[in-house]
Amino acid sequence: MTSKTKFLYGDGGSKSLLDCFYNWLGAEIVEESGGFQTWQGLVYSMDLTHKGLIRRRSLDLISNYVKVEYVDDEGD
């Protein structure tokens, strides 16, 4: 299921929109009503359409490379 929500942020200009697009991936969103938390979620993916060009950012498209070296008590 795909859900699309519009968030109003900043002055609404393109600079503000690009800031959201490039910096909010992985951000936590919490909705509160009447002092109670009613919803909590994570920005997992975003699409930005501008002049017919669609850009996508997604946690699915990002991977990390981790290398670990283990040393035993003898230093080997």
Side-chain angles (χ1 to χ4, degrees):
M1 179 175 136
T2 301
S3 135
K4 293 188 178 187
T5 305
K6 292 182 181 179
F7 289 96
L8 301 177
Y9 173 76
D11 62 7
S14 60
K15 185 176 179 181
S16 178
L17 184 61
L18 286 173
D19 177 60
C20 295
F21 184 69
Y22 286 113
N23 294 302
W24 283 21
L25 189 64
E28 178 185 30
I29 304 292
V30 176
E31 177 186 66
E32 294 182 352
S33 179
F36 295 97
Q37 181 176 318
T38 56
W39 186 85
Q40 178 181 7
L42 174 79
V43 178
Y44 194 83
S45 67
M46 294 181 282
D47 290 341
L48 174 66
T49 304
H50 180 66
K51 295 184 180 180
L53 178 65
I54 300 173
R55 297 179 187 174
R56 168 165 284 202
R57 291 183 47 92
S58 172
L59 292 177
D60 284 337
L61 304 173
I62 297 175
S63 61
N64 292 321
Y65 177 78
V66 177
K67 180 179 178 182
V68 178
E69 289 187 29
Y70 292 95
V71 179
D72 63 16
D73 293 336
E74 297 172 4
D76 296 328

